[in-house]
Amino acid sequence: MKAVEFRPLRGIPQVHAGDDLAALLGDAADRDVRAGDILVVTHKIVSKAEGRVVRLDSVTPSSMAAAFAAEWGRDARQVEIVLRESRRVVRMARGMIISETRHGFVCANAGVDLSNAGGLELAVLLPEDPDASARLLREKLSRRLGFDLPVIITDSFGRPWRSGIVNVAIGVAGMEPVTDYRGVRDPHGYELSASVMGTADAIAAAAELVMGKTGGVPAAVARGIDFHGGEGGAAALVLEPEKNLFP
Amino acid sequence: MKAVEFRPLRGIPQVHAGDDLAALLGDAADRDVRAGDILVVTHKIVSKAEGRVVRLDSVTPSSMAAAFAAEWGRDARQVEIVLRESRRVVRMARGMIISETRHGFVCANAGVDLSNAGGLELAVLLPEDPDASARLLREKLSRRLGFDLPVIITDSFGRPWRSGIVNVAIGVAGMEPVTDYRGVRDPHGYELSASVMGTADAIAAAAELVMGKTGGVPAAVARGIDFHGGEGGAAALVLEPEKNLFP
């Protein structure tokens, strides 16, 4: 095992709907990215470039959204958007909504963040298909750079039983999202028991350390990771129903 | 934000009950650790040094442990140890046991790993008090090195709804385990909504990338992290009951 490094990717401008995100990232990547690196991108700039932004003043809440929002002091329009972005509500209590998104992710608020631009109140949604977004960035950037650049798109998720949010991978292209050690034995001959590592999630979590919640750095470079190449796909990071004890 | 680096800490020998772990880590740290670094240690060598190891052939399973093990093809002695290490069973189904440990961690098998040494089948338990273990390592190593060295003790946990395990912090000394951005506003004046980051968990997750499940590297150095000093305590990473939707 060698050292790994996470570097903030600097010089990315504010992103707006319709921007060519690969071009914006490419200008930064030309300076800071090498063969063997992995590019980590927060979903927020992906969603913005893809126009996955809703003006709150365009939303009419349902009666359920309005009632829940009134009971818990939340914005009914945001609650409405969260419910629209969910295919299943897992828990809806104490003002919190945990739901399953169309992608299969179980998270708070269906990944919908509130934002503000030029006085407009906005909700930033998850990308429609974060794996497709990652694939497109990988293709365009790999062509530009002349080497294959795997891409991980992240969001920050809360966790049951753990305090604090951590970044996870919601889109993956160009690498295996998990590392499977099943059948591999430890130095004493014991088969490793809990032996599928959430590698892309670990990379996503680490990248947050250099992106920062307030630093305004929406992308990072992971260098020196011993990853397995592959097509990717964040579905590999969603627990199969038969292993899921928390439906 | 600057770059951060994770380095495997090499040259740590096999650890046995009664070993002075700080001395063993110190020999490696003398070469590879600098002021400003954080030391990340897998709990397995902490547990071994502290004698938190049980011979399976010394364990007599209860009838519940025996019945569950027989139904699901598990080792009844391991099931018995898992139940003894739990203060509450959260789910016990399909051969899996999710429970709350005496420390308040909710995880599979109460953190009990099976191992093998010299032909003996062993169960490695979590440290009795991982924060105390981290504090002791911090004190001894800081004295030896001449600068303060925060310490994170890790275990790998599965996650509800996510596939693959990731490392989390189960013991923390010398730094704030979470970074609290509440009250901080984004560039547009919006208060950050989900704004307590599980910093120590992110560091733990990243360290696994250089320790590796099979690499036999039980410790790593995190360099360049913009952390907040403090006493620490992994309890800050356990979700408060009033925020926990999954009792």
Side-chain angles (χ1 to χ4, degrees):
Chain A
M1 288 285 177
K2 51 188 179 170
V4 304
E5 192 182 19
F6 293 86
R7 304 168 64 87
L9 190 63
R10 299 179 195 285
I12 301 166
Q14 285 287 327
V15 174
H16 302 99
D19 281 350
D20 182 346
L21 186 60
L24 299 179
L25 289 168
D27 289 339
D30 285 342
R31 293 186 296 274
D32 290 334
V33 175
R34 299 183 200 157
D37 289 350
I38 298 165
L39 179 67
V40 184
V41 183
T42 54
H43 82 87
K44 201 156 187 172
I45 58 173
V46 176
S47 296
K48 283 185 176 174
E50 294 178 354
R52 292 279 293 160
V53 173
V54 175
R55 285 174 54 161
L56 287 189
D57 65 11
S58 73
V59 175
T60 306
S62 68
S63 57
M64 176 165 76
F68 186 77
E71 184 177 358
W72 298 102
R74 291 190 53 167
D75 188 310
R77 301 163 302 175
Q78 185 201 14
V79 171
E80 175 63 25
I81 296 169
V82 168
L83 295 176
R84 289 182 193 173
E85 288 296 306
S86 304
R87 72 178 179 199
R88 183 170 70 87
V89 173
V90 173
R91 297 278 192 290
M92 194 167 169
R94 297 184 235 167
M96 292 178 272
I97 304 171
I98 311 287
S99 68
E100 182 178 327
T101 68
R102 69 190 71 188
H103 327 84
F105 305 130
V106 176
C107 59
N109 294 330
V112 174
D113 293 324
L114 293 185
S115 187
N116 183 310
L120 274 181
E121 294 181 296
L122 303 173
V124 180
L125 318 182
L126 293 186
E128 187 78 31
D129 180 348
D131 280 332
S133 307
R135 282 196 300 273
L136 190 65
L137 287 174
R138 175 196 178 198
E139 279 167 28
K140 288 187 173 180
L141 288 166
S142 297
R143 201 180 310 129
R144 173 174 180 151
L145 293 163
F147 52 80
D148 187 47
L149 182 67
V151 172
I152 296 174
I153 295 173
T154 71
D155 191 12
S156 45
F157 279 14
R159 293 99 37 93
W161 307 306
R162 301 288 290 175
S163 187
I165 56 178
V166 296
N167 273 15
V168 299
I170 64 166
V172 181
M175 63 173 288
E176 289 295 336
V178 298
T179 306
D180 193 341
Y181 293 106
R182 280 174 297 187
V184 176
R185 288 170 190 281
D186 76 10
H188 298 295
Y190 256 58
E191 188 171 338
L192 296 170
S193 50
S195 40
V196 177
M197 298 297 305
T199 306
D201 278 347
I203 295 168
E208 208 284 326
L209 296 167
V210 300
M211 297 195 291
K213 199 73 185 161
T214 55
V217 178
V221 176
R223 180 162 297 163
I225 308 276
D226 184 23
F227 65 89
H228 297 279
E231 284 311 303
L237 289 161
V238 174
L239 200 58
E240 305 91 316
E242 69 273 17
K243 291 188 183 168
N244 185 8
L245 297 182
F246 302 91
Chain B
M1 288 286 177
K2 51 190 180 171
V4 303
E5 191 183 20
F6 293 86
R7 305 169 64 86
L9 190 64
R10 297 179 197 288
I12 301 166
Q14 286 288 325
V15 174
H16 304 97
D19 282 351
D20 182 348
L21 186 60
L24 298 178
L25 289 167
D27 289 338
D30 284 340
R31 292 187 297 274
D32 290 333
V33 175
R34 298 183 201 158
D37 289 351
I38 298 165
L39 179 67
V40 186
V41 183
T42 55
H43 81 88
K44 202 157 186 171
I45 59 172
V46 177
S47 295
K48 283 184 177 175
E50 295 177 354
R52 293 280 292 161
V53 173
V54 174
R55 284 174 55 162
L56 288 190
D57 64 12
S58 74
V59 175
T60 306
S62 68
S63 56
M64 177 166 76
F68 187 76
E71 184 177 358
W72 299 102
R74 290 191 54 168
D75 188 309
R77 300 164 303 177
Q78 187 202 11
V79 172
E80 174 63 25
I81 296 169
V82 169
L83 295 176
R84 289 183 194 172
E85 290 295 305
S86 304
R87 72 178 179 201
R88 185 170 68 89
V89 172
V90 173
R91 295 281 191 288
M92 196 167 167
R94 298 185 235 166
M96 290 178 273
I97 304 170
I98 310 286
S99 68
E100 183 179 326
T101 69
R102 69 189 70 189
H103 327 84
F105 305 130
V106 176
C107 60
N109 295 328
V112 174
D113 293 325
L114 293 184
S115 185
N116 181 310
L120 276 180
E121 293 180 297
L122 302 174
V124 180
L125 317 182
L126 293 186
E128 188 77 31
D129 180 349
D131 281 331
S133 308
R135 281 197 300 273
L136 190 64
L137 286 175
R138 175 196 178 199
E139 279 168 26
K140 288 187 173 182
L141 287 165
S142 297
R143 202 178 312 131
R144 174 174 178 149
L145 293 162
F147 52 81
D148 188 47
L149 182 67
V151 173
I152 296 174
I153 295 173
T154 70
D155 190 13
S156 44
F157 280 13
R159 293 98 37 93
W161 308 305
R162 300 289 289 176
S163 187
I165 58 179
V166 295
N167 273 14
V168 299
I170 64 166
V172 181
M175 63 173 287
E176 288 296 334
V178 300
T179 306
D180 193 341
Y181 293 105
R182 282 174 297 188
V184 176
R185 288 171 189 281
D186 75 10
H188 299 296
Y190 256 59
E191 188 171 340
L192 297 169
S193 49
S195 41
V196 178
M197 299 296 306
T199 306
D201 278 349
I203 295 169
E208 209 283 327
L209 296 167
V210 300
M211 299 196 290
K213 200 72 183 160
T214 57
V217 178
V221 175
R223 181 163 296 164
I225 308 277
D226 185 22
F227 66 89
H228 297 278
E231 285 311 303
L237 290 159
V238 174
L239 200 58
E240 304 92 318
E242 69 273 17
K243 291 188 182 167
N244 185 9
L245 296 183
F246 301 91

